[in-house]
């Protein structure tokens, strides 16, 4: 029997949550890519994606030293 807490995706719950949020934002951008999209909404979605990506990168680097 294996201990699931030893698996990397179980060790860093925050990183997993951030990656899931990043993927949700990418999917949202993809859903709207084919049709018209209000420029302000698109800018907000892109800003959110950029923020989440920075958080993912920061958390990955921070956890990399552990």
């Amino acid at each position: 029997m294996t201990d699931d807490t030893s698996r990397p995706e179980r060790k860093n719950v925050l990183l997993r949550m951030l990656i899931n949020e990043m993927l949700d934002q990418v999917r949202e951008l993809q859903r709207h890519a084919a049709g018209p999209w209000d420029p302000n909404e698109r800018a907000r979605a892109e800003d959110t994606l950029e923020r989440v990506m920075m958080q993912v990168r920061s958390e990955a680097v921070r956890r990399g030293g552990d």
Side-chain angles (χ1 to χ4, degrees):
M1 189 162 157
T2 63
D3 180 11
D4 283 346
T5 59
S6 66
R7 293 174 45 194
E9 64 271 17
R10 303 269 192 240
K11 283 184 178 181
N12 194 337
V13 175
L14 176 58
L15 184 58
R16 173 55 40 203
M17 289 171 56
L18 288 168
I19 290 170
N20 287 340
E21 184 178 353
M22 181 179 67
L23 291 173
D24 288 344
Q25 286 299 314
V26 168
R27 289 180 189 112
E28 182 70 17
L29 286 168
Q30 288 293 69
R31 273 194 293 275
H32 292 289
W37 197 5
D38 179 84
N40 292 329
E41 286 182 37
R42 181 177 180 92
R44 253 191 318 276
E46 289 175 352
D47 288 346
T48 299
L49 178 58
E50 185 174 338
R51 176 190 52 81
V52 172
M53 290 172 67
M54 286 178 15
Q55 289 176 301
V56 167
R57 195 169 32 248
S58 176
E59 181 65 13
V61 169
R62 185 182 74 78
R63 295 292 294 189
D66 290 349

